[in-house]
PDB file of all heavy atoms in Angstrom:
ATOM      1  N   PHE A  69      87.577  66.288  27.668  1.00 85.00           N
ATOM      2  CA  PHE A  69      86.358  65.540  27.914  1.00 85.00           C
ATOM      3  C   PHE A  69      86.296  64.353  26.974  1.00 85.00           C
ATOM      4  O   PHE A  69      86.969  64.310  25.961  1.00 85.00           O
ATOM      5  CB  PHE A  69      85.110  66.422  27.805  1.00 85.00           C
ATOM      6  CG  PHE A  69      84.746  66.845  26.416  1.00 85.00           C
ATOM      7  CD1 PHE A  69      83.819  66.113  25.680  1.00 85.00           C
ATOM      8  CD2 PHE A  69      85.307  67.971  25.849  1.00 85.00           C
ATOM      9  CE1 PHE A  69      83.476  66.500  24.397  1.00 85.00           C
ATOM     10  CE2 PHE A  69      84.966  68.374  24.582  1.00 85.00           C
ATOM     11  CZ  PHE A  69      84.046  67.632  23.850  1.00 85.00           C
ATOM     12  N   ALA A  70      85.506  63.375  27.375  1.00 92.00           N
ATOM     13  CA  ALA A  70      85.358  62.154  26.590  1.00 92.00           C
ATOM     14  C   ALA A  70      83.886  61.779  26.532  1.00 92.00           C
ATOM     15  O   ALA A  70      83.112  62.112  27.432  1.00 92.00           O
ATOM     16  CB  ALA A  70      86.164  61.016  27.214  1.00 92.00           C
ATOM     17  N   LEU A  71      83.520  61.103  25.456  1.00 94.00           N
ATOM     18  CA  LEU A  71      82.160  60.615  25.261  1.00 94.00           C
ATOM     19  C   LEU A  71      82.211  59.094  25.318  1.00 94.00           C
ATOM     20  O   LEU A  71      83.044  58.481  24.656  1.00 94.00           O
ATOM     21  CB  LEU A  71      81.610  61.074  23.908  1.00 94.00           C
ATOM     22  CG  LEU A  71      81.735  62.563  23.590  1.00 94.00           C
ATOM     23  CD1 LEU A  71      81.214  62.849  22.190  1.00 94.00           C
ATOM     24  CD2 LEU A  71      81.000  63.403  24.623  1.00 94.00           C
ATOM     25  N   ASP A  72      81.336  58.492  26.079  1.00 96.00           N
ATOM     26  CA  ASP A  72      81.371  57.047  26.265  1.00 96.00           C
ATOM     27  C   ASP A  72      79.960  56.474  26.185  1.00 96.00           C
ATOM     28  O   ASP A  72      79.085  56.847  26.962  1.00 96.00           O
ATOM     29  CB  ASP A  72      81.983  56.735  27.630  1.00 96.00           C
ATOM     30  CG  ASP A  72      82.231  55.251  27.859  1.00 96.00           C
ATOM     31  OD1 ASP A  72      82.016  54.443  26.933  1.00 96.00           O
ATOM     32  OD2 ASP A  72      82.641  54.907  28.977  1.00 96.00           O
ATOM     33  N   VAL A  73      79.732  55.571  25.222  1.00 97.00           N
ATOM     34  CA  VAL A  73      78.477  54.837  25.126  1.00 97.00           C
ATOM     35  C   VAL A  73      78.771  53.407  25.539  1.00 97.00           C
ATOM     36  O   VAL A  73      79.652  52.764  24.980  1.00 97.00           O
ATOM     37  CB  VAL A  73      77.891  54.887  23.697  1.00 97.00           C
ATOM     38  CG1 VAL A  73      76.608  54.062  23.613  1.00 97.00           C
ATOM     39  CG2 VAL A  73      77.634  56.328  23.270  1.00 97.00           C
ATOM     40  N   ARG A  74      78.041  52.928  26.536  1.00 97.00           N
ATOM     41  CA  ARG A  74      78.252  51.591  27.078  1.00 97.00           C
ATOM     42  C   ARG A  74      76.974  50.781  26.979  1.00 97.00           C
ATOM     43  O   ARG A  74      75.896  51.344  26.835  1.00 97.00           O
ATOM     44  CB  ARG A  74      78.643  51.677  28.559  1.00 97.00           C
ATOM     45  CG  ARG A  74      79.947  52.370  28.752  1.00 97.00           C
ATOM     46  CD  ARG A  74      80.244  52.577  30.239  1.00 97.00           C
ATOM     47  NE  ARG A  74      81.664  52.810  30.347  1.00 97.00           N
ATOM     48  CZ  ARG A  74      82.546  51.907  30.735  1.00 97.00           C
ATOM     49  NH1 ARG A  74      82.170  50.724  31.113  1.00 97.00           N
ATOM     50  NH2 ARG A  74      83.824  52.191  30.768  1.00 97.00           N
ATOM     51  N   THR A  75      77.109  49.489  27.101  1.00 96.00           N
ATOM     52  CA  THR A  75      75.938  48.615  27.143  1.00 96.00           C
ATOM     53  C   THR A  75      75.903  47.909  28.485  1.00 96.00           C
ATOM     54  O   THR A  75      76.941  47.681  29.104  1.00 96.00           O
ATOM     55  CB  THR A  75      75.966  47.557  26.018  1.00 96.00           C
ATOM     56  OG1 THR A  75      77.144  46.775  26.149  1.00 96.00           O
ATOM     57  CG2 THR A  75      75.933  48.203  24.649  1.00 96.00           C
ATOM     58  N   GLY A  76      74.692  47.591  28.919  1.00 96.00           N
ATOM     59  CA  GLY A  76      74.542  46.848  30.162  1.00 96.00           C
ATOM     60  C   GLY A  76      73.523  47.462  31.080  1.00 96.00           C
ATOM     61  O   GLY A  76      72.701  48.289  30.683  1.00 96.00           O
ATOM     62  N   GLU A  77      73.603  47.070  32.325  1.00 95.00           N
ATOM     63  CA  GLU A  77      72.711  47.582  33.359  1.00 95.00           C
ATOM     64  C   GLU A  77      73.226  48.971  33.745  1.00 95.00           C
ATOM     65  O   GLU A  77      74.416  49.155  33.985  1.00 95.00           O
ATOM     66  CB  GLU A  77      72.737  46.612  34.543  1.00 95.00           C
ATOM     67  CG  GLU A  77      71.710  46.884  35.612  1.00 95.00           C
ATOM     68  CD  GLU A  77      72.212  47.860  36.647  1.00 95.00           C
ATOM     69  OE1 GLU A  77      73.386  47.772  37.020  1.00 95.00           O
ATOM     70  OE2 GLU A  77      71.423  48.719  37.068  1.00 95.00           O
ATOM     71  N   PRO A  78      72.330  50.003  33.772  1.00 95.00           N
ATOM     72  CA  PRO A  78      72.794  51.385  33.950  1.00 95.00           C
ATOM     73  C   PRO A  78      73.684  51.635  35.167  1.00 95.00           C
ATOM     74  O   PRO A  78      74.784  52.166  35.014  1.00 95.00           O
ATOM     75  CB  PRO A  78      71.486  52.182  34.040  1.00 95.00           C
ATOM     76  CG  PRO A  78      70.514  51.381  33.249  1.00 95.00           C
ATOM     77  CD  PRO A  78      70.888  49.946  33.522  1.00 95.00           C
ATOM     78  N   ALA A  79      73.248  51.275  36.354  1.00 95.00           N
ATOM     79  CA  ALA A  79      74.039  51.605  37.553  1.00 95.00           C
ATOM     80  C   ALA A  79      75.405  50.928  37.529  1.00 95.00           C
ATOM     81  O   ALA A  79      76.422  51.556  37.831  1.00 95.00           O
ATOM     82  CB  ALA A  79      73.269  51.218  38.818  1.00 95.00           C
ATOM     83  N   GLU A  80      75.417  49.673  37.152  1.00 97.00           N
ATOM     84  CA  GLU A  80      76.678  48.936  37.087  1.00 97.00           C
ATOM     85  C   GLU A  80      77.613  49.555  36.048  1.00 97.00           C
ATOM     86  O   GLU A  80      78.801  49.746  36.296  1.00 97.00           O
ATOM     87  CB  GLU A  80      76.393  47.477  36.738  1.00 97.00           C
ATOM     88  CG  GLU A  80      77.623  46.612  36.680  1.00 97.00           C
ATOM     89  CD  GLU A  80      77.274  45.158  36.343  1.00 97.00           C
ATOM     90  OE1 GLU A  80      76.145  44.734  36.594  1.00 97.00           O
ATOM     91  OE2 GLU A  80      78.176  44.475  35.809  1.00 97.00           O
ATOM     92  N   SER A  81      77.071  49.893  34.878  1.00 97.00           N
ATOM     93  CA  SER A  81      77.882  50.476  33.806  1.00 97.00           C
ATOM     94  C   SER A  81      78.422  51.846  34.189  1.00 97.00           C
ATOM     95  O   SER A  81      79.565  52.180  33.872  1.00 97.00           O
ATOM     96  CB  SER A  81      77.060  50.580  32.520  1.00 97.00           C
ATOM     97  OG  SER A  81      76.691  49.301  32.073  1.00 97.00           O
ATOM     98  N   ILE A  82      77.611  52.631  34.873  1.00 97.00           N
ATOM     99  CA  ILE A  82      78.044  53.966  35.307  1.00 97.00           C
ATOM    100  C   ILE A  82      79.169  53.841  36.329  1.00 97.00           C
ATOM    101  O   ILE A  82      80.196  54.530  36.239  1.00 97.00           O
ATOM    102  CB  ILE A  82      76.855  54.769  35.878  1.00 97.00           C
ATOM    103  CG1 ILE A  82      75.857  55.100  34.757  1.00 97.00           C
ATOM    104  CG2 ILE A  82      77.339  56.043  36.569  1.00 97.00           C
ATOM    105  CD1 ILE A  82      74.491  55.532  35.262  1.00 97.00           C
ATOM    106  N   ALA A  83      78.994  52.953  37.300  1.00 97.00           N
ATOM    107  CA  ALA A  83      80.038  52.748  38.321  1.00 97.00           C
ATOM    108  C   ALA A  83      81.324  52.229  37.687  1.00 97.00           C
ATOM    109  O   ALA A  83      82.423  52.656  38.050  1.00 97.00           O
ATOM    110  CB  ALA A  83      79.532  51.789  39.400  1.00 97.00           C
ATOM    111  N   GLU A  84      81.199  51.311  36.717  1.00 98.00           N
ATOM    112  CA  GLU A  84      82.387  50.793  36.024  1.00 98.00           C
ATOM    113  C   GLU A  84      83.093  51.893  35.233  1.00 98.00           C
ATOM    114  O   GLU A  84      84.322  51.956  35.212  1.00 98.00           O
ATOM    115  CB  GLU A  84      82.001  49.652  35.090  1.00 98.00           C
ATOM    116  CG  GLU A  84      81.677  48.363  35.808  1.00 98.00           C
ATOM    117  CD  GLU A  84      81.152  47.284  34.872  1.00 98.00           C
ATOM    118  OE1 GLU A  84      81.003  47.538  33.651  1.00 98.00           O
ATOM    119  OE2 GLU A  84      80.873  46.180  35.368  1.00 98.00           O
ATOM    120  N   ALA A  85      82.310  52.754  34.576  1.00 98.00           N
ATOM    121  CA  ALA A  85      82.904  53.863  33.822  1.00 98.00           C
ATOM    122  C   ALA A  85      83.664  54.793  34.764  1.00 98.00           C
ATOM    123  O   ALA A  85      84.794  55.204  34.477  1.00 98.00           O
ATOM    124  CB  ALA A  85      81.829  54.637  33.061  1.00 98.00           C
ATOM    125  N   ALA A  86      83.059  55.120  35.891  1.00 97.00           N
ATOM    126  CA  ALA A  86      83.713  56.005  36.860  1.00 97.00           C
ATOM    127  C   ALA A  86      85.022  55.395  37.346  1.00 97.00           C
ATOM    128  O   ALA A  86      86.039  56.088  37.457  1.00 97.00           O
ATOM    129  CB  ALA A  86      82.777  56.278  38.037  1.00 97.00           C
ATOM    130  N   GLU A  87      85.005  54.092  37.597  1.00 97.00           N
ATOM    131  CA  GLU A  87      86.225  53.413  38.046  1.00 97.00           C
ATOM    132  C   GLU A  87      87.276  53.407  36.934  1.00 97.00           C
ATOM    133  O   GLU A  87      88.453  53.682  37.177  1.00 97.00           O
ATOM    134  CB  GLU A  87      85.903  51.984  38.468  1.00 97.00           C
ATOM    135  CG  GLU A  87      87.108  51.253  39.020  1.00 97.00           C
ATOM    136  CD  GLU A  87      86.773  49.852  39.500  1.00 97.00           C
ATOM    137  OE1 GLU A  87      85.585  49.499  39.580  1.00 97.00           O
ATOM    138  OE2 GLU A  87      87.728  49.112  39.776  1.00 97.00           O
ATOM    139  N   ARG A  88      86.844  53.107  35.716  1.00 97.00           N
ATOM    140  CA  ARG A  88      87.787  53.047  34.581  1.00 97.00           C
ATOM    141  C   ARG A  88      88.480  54.387  34.363  1.00 97.00           C
ATOM    142  O   ARG A  88      89.667  54.447  34.072  1.00 97.00           O
ATOM    143  CB  ARG A  88      87.045  52.643  33.317  1.00 97.00           C
ATOM    144  CG  ARG A  88      87.941  52.641  32.092  1.00 97.00           C
ATOM    145  CD  ARG A  88      87.218  52.121  30.874  1.00 97.00           C
ATOM    146  NE  ARG A  88      88.084  52.220  29.732  1.00 97.00           N
ATOM    147  CZ  ARG A  88      87.800  52.947  28.655  1.00 97.00           C
ATOM    148  NH1 ARG A  88      86.675  53.602  28.566  1.00 97.00           N
ATOM    149  NH2 ARG A  88      88.636  52.999  27.647  1.00 97.00           N
ATOM    150  N   TYR A  89      87.724  55.478  34.497  1.00 96.00           N
ATOM    151  CA  TYR A  89      88.297  56.805  34.273  1.00 96.00           C
ATOM    152  C   TYR A  89      89.029  57.336  35.495  1.00 96.00           C
ATOM    153  O   TYR A  89      89.633  58.396  35.431  1.00 96.00           O
ATOM    154  CB  TYR A  89      87.205  57.799  33.885  1.00 96.00           C
ATOM    155  CG  TYR A  89      86.527  57.455  32.590  1.00 96.00           C
ATOM    156  CD1 TYR A  89      85.149  57.414  32.502  1.00 96.00           C
ATOM    157  CD2 TYR A  89      87.260  57.162  31.450  1.00 96.00           C
ATOM    158  CE1 TYR A  89      84.524  57.093  31.313  1.00 96.00           C
ATOM    159  CE2 TYR A  89      86.640  56.840  30.261  1.00 96.00           C
ATOM    160  CZ  TYR A  89      85.271  56.810  30.198  1.00 96.00           C
ATOM    161  OH  TYR A  89      84.649  56.490  29.029  1.00 96.00           O
ATOM    162  N   GLY A  90      88.927  56.645  36.608  1.00 97.00           N
ATOM    163  CA  GLY A  90      89.529  57.157  37.834  1.00 97.00           C
ATOM    164  C   GLY A  90      88.809  58.397  38.304  1.00 97.00           C
ATOM    165  O   GLY A  90      89.426  59.334  38.817  1.00 97.00           O
ATOM    166  N   ALA A  91      87.488  58.404  38.136  1.00 97.00           N
ATOM    167  CA  ALA A  91      86.695  59.585  38.485  1.00 97.00           C
ATOM    168  C   ALA A  91      86.802  59.886  39.976  1.00 97.00           C
ATOM    169  O   ALA A  91      86.793  58.984  40.814  1.00 97.00           O
ATOM    170  CB  ALA A  91      85.233  59.377  38.091  1.00 97.00           C
ATOM    171  N   ASP A  92      86.901  61.158  40.269  1.00 97.00           N
ATOM    172  CA  ASP A  92      86.912  61.626  41.644  1.00 97.00           C
ATOM    173  C   ASP A  92      85.512  61.994  42.102  1.00 97.00           C
ATOM    174  O   ASP A  92      85.267  62.207  43.287  1.00 97.00           O
ATOM    175  CB  ASP A  92      87.829  62.848  41.780  1.00 97.00           C
ATOM    176  CG  ASP A  92      89.245  62.534  41.351  1.00 97.00           C
ATOM    177  OD1 ASP A  92      89.860  61.644  41.970  1.00 97.00           O
ATOM    178  OD2 ASP A  92      89.725  63.150  40.376  1.00 97.00           O
ATOM    179  N   LEU A  93      84.578  62.090  41.127  1.00 96.00           N
ATOM    180  CA  LEU A  93      83.202  62.488  41.420  1.00 96.00           C
ATOM    181  C   LEU A  93      82.301  62.017  40.287  1.00 96.00           C
ATOM    182  O   LEU A  93      82.682  62.082  39.119  1.00 96.00           O
ATOM    183  CB  LEU A  93      83.108  64.016  41.550  1.00 96.00           C
ATOM    184  CG  LEU A  93      81.742  64.614  41.843  1.00 96.00           C
ATOM    185  CD1 LEU A  93      81.267  64.241  43.248  1.00 96.00           C
ATOM    186  CD2 LEU A  93      81.792  66.138  41.690  1.00 96.00           C
ATOM    187  N   VAL A  94      81.104  61.553  40.640  1.00 96.00           N
ATOM    188  CA  VAL A  94      80.045  61.285  39.673  1.00 96.00           C
ATOM    189  C   VAL A  94      78.955  62.314  39.947  1.00 96.00           C
ATOM    190  O   VAL A  94      78.560  62.501  41.099  1.00 96.00           O
ATOM    191  CB  VAL A  94      79.460  59.860  39.809  1.00 96.00           C
ATOM    192  CG1 VAL A  94      78.262  59.668  38.888  1.00 96.00           C
ATOM    193  CG2 VAL A  94      80.519  58.808  39.527  1.00 96.00           C
ATOM    194  N   VAL A  95      78.494  62.999  38.918  1.00 95.00           N
ATOM    195  CA  VAL A  95      77.396  63.949  39.046  1.00 95.00           C
ATOM    196  C   VAL A  95      76.235  63.402  38.233  1.00 95.00           C
ATOM    197  O   VAL A  95      76.380  63.118  37.044  1.00 95.00           O
ATOM    198  CB  VAL A  95      77.781  65.353  38.524  1.00 95.00           C
ATOM    199  CG1 VAL A  95      76.585  66.299  38.581  1.00 95.00           C
ATOM    200  CG2 VAL A  95      78.949  65.915  39.320  1.00 95.00           C
ATOM    201  N   MET A  96      75.101  63.222  38.881  1.00 93.00           N
ATOM    202  CA  MET A  96      73.940  62.690  38.180  1.00 93.00           C
ATOM    203  C   MET A  96      72.659  63.234  38.797  1.00 93.00           C
ATOM    204  O   MET A  96      72.697  63.898  39.816  1.00 93.00           O
ATOM    205  CB  MET A  96      73.949  61.162  38.186  1.00 93.00           C
ATOM    206  CG  MET A  96      73.875  60.519  39.536  1.00 93.00           C
ATOM    207  SD  MET A  96      74.104  58.716  39.483  1.00 93.00           S
ATOM    208  CE  MET A  96      72.824  58.190  38.373  1.00 93.00           C
ATOM    209  N   THR A  97      71.558  62.916  38.164  1.00 88.00           N
ATOM    210  CA  THR A  97      70.271  63.362  38.660  1.00 88.00           C
ATOM    211  C   THR A  97      69.422  62.161  39.024  1.00 88.00           C
ATOM    212  O   THR A  97      69.734  61.028  38.674  1.00 88.00           O
ATOM    213  CB  THR A  97      69.558  64.231  37.604  1.00 88.00           C
ATOM    214  OG1 THR A  97      68.391  64.811  38.184  1.00 88.00           O
ATOM    215  CG2 THR A  97      69.165  63.430  36.395  1.00 88.00           C
ATOM    216  N   THR A  98      68.383  62.445  39.742  1.00 83.00           N
ATOM    217  CA  THR A  98      67.396  61.422  40.046  1.00 83.00           C
ATOM    218  C   THR A  98      66.080  61.861  39.425  1.00 83.00           C
ATOM    219  O   THR A  98      65.793  63.048  39.339  1.00 83.00           O
ATOM    220  CB  THR A  98      67.239  61.210  41.565  1.00 83.00           C
ATOM    221  OG1 THR A  98      66.217  60.247  41.781  1.00 83.00           O
ATOM    222  CG2 THR A  98      66.879  62.484  42.292  1.00 83.00           C
ATOM    223  N   HIS A  99      65.304  60.902  38.973  1.00 69.00           N
ATOM    224  CA  HIS A  99      64.006  61.235  38.384  1.00 69.00           C
ATOM    225  C   HIS A  99      62.934  61.358  39.453  1.00 69.00           C
ATOM    226  O   HIS A  99      61.796  61.678  39.153  1.00 69.00           O
ATOM    227  CB  HIS A  99      63.610  60.193  37.332  1.00 69.00           C
ATOM    228  CG  HIS A  99      64.469  60.291  36.110  1.00 69.00           C
ATOM    229  ND1 HIS A  99      64.351  61.306  35.192  1.00 69.00           N
ATOM    230  CD2 HIS A  99      65.479  59.514  35.666  1.00 69.00           C
ATOM    231  CE1 HIS A  99      65.241  61.145  34.234  1.00 69.00           C
ATOM    232  NE2 HIS A  99      65.948  60.064  34.507  1.00 69.00           N
ATOM    233  N   GLY A 100      63.274  61.092  40.685  1.00 57.00           N
ATOM    234  CA  GLY A 100      62.365  61.318  41.797  1.00 57.00           C
ATOM    235  C   GLY A 100      61.173  60.382  41.852  1.00 57.00           C
ATOM    236  O   GLY A 100      60.124  60.744  42.371  1.00 57.00           O
ATOM    237  N   ARG A 101      61.327  59.176  41.343  1.00 56.00           N
ATOM    238  CA  ARG A 101      60.214  58.225  41.419  1.00 56.00           C
ATOM    239  C   ARG A 101      59.981  57.812  42.863  1.00 56.00           C
ATOM    240  O   ARG A 101      60.922  57.644  43.627  1.00 56.00           O
ATOM    241  CB  ARG A 101      60.507  56.990  40.571  1.00 56.00           C
ATOM    242  CG  ARG A 101      60.537  57.285  39.104  1.00 56.00           C
ATOM    243  CD  ARG A 101      60.772  56.008  38.298  1.00 56.00           C
ATOM    244  NE  ARG A 101      60.922  56.323  36.901  1.00 56.00           N
ATOM    245  CZ  ARG A 101      62.080  56.490  36.287  1.00 56.00           C
ATOM    246  NH1 ARG A 101      63.198  56.349  36.951  1.00 56.00           N
ATOM    247  NH2 ARG A 101      62.126  56.784  35.011  1.00 56.00           N
ATOM    248  N   THR A 102      58.723  57.638  43.202  1.00 54.00           N
ATOM    249  CA  THR A 102      58.378  57.200  44.544  1.00 54.00           C
ATOM    250  C   THR A 102      57.359  56.074  44.447  1.00 54.00           C
ATOM    251  O   THR A 102      56.867  55.761  43.368  1.00 54.00           O
ATOM    252  CB  THR A 102      57.781  58.357  45.372  1.00 54.00           C
ATOM    253  OG1 THR A 102      56.613  58.845  44.695  1.00 54.00           O
ATOM    254  CG2 THR A 102      58.766  59.486  45.561  1.00 54.00           C
TER     255      THR A 102
END
Side-chain angles (χ1 to χ4, degrees):
F69 72 95
L71 309 177
D72 187 5
V73 178
R74 296 174 161 258
T75 59
E77 189 272 320
E80 182 179 336
S81 297
I82 292 164
E84 286 174 358
E87 183 177 350
R88 177 175 176 241
Y89 297 130
D92 301 299
L93 179 68
V94 174
V95 176
M96 62 187 303
T97 188
T98 177
H99 290 287
R101 293 182 185 96
T102 59

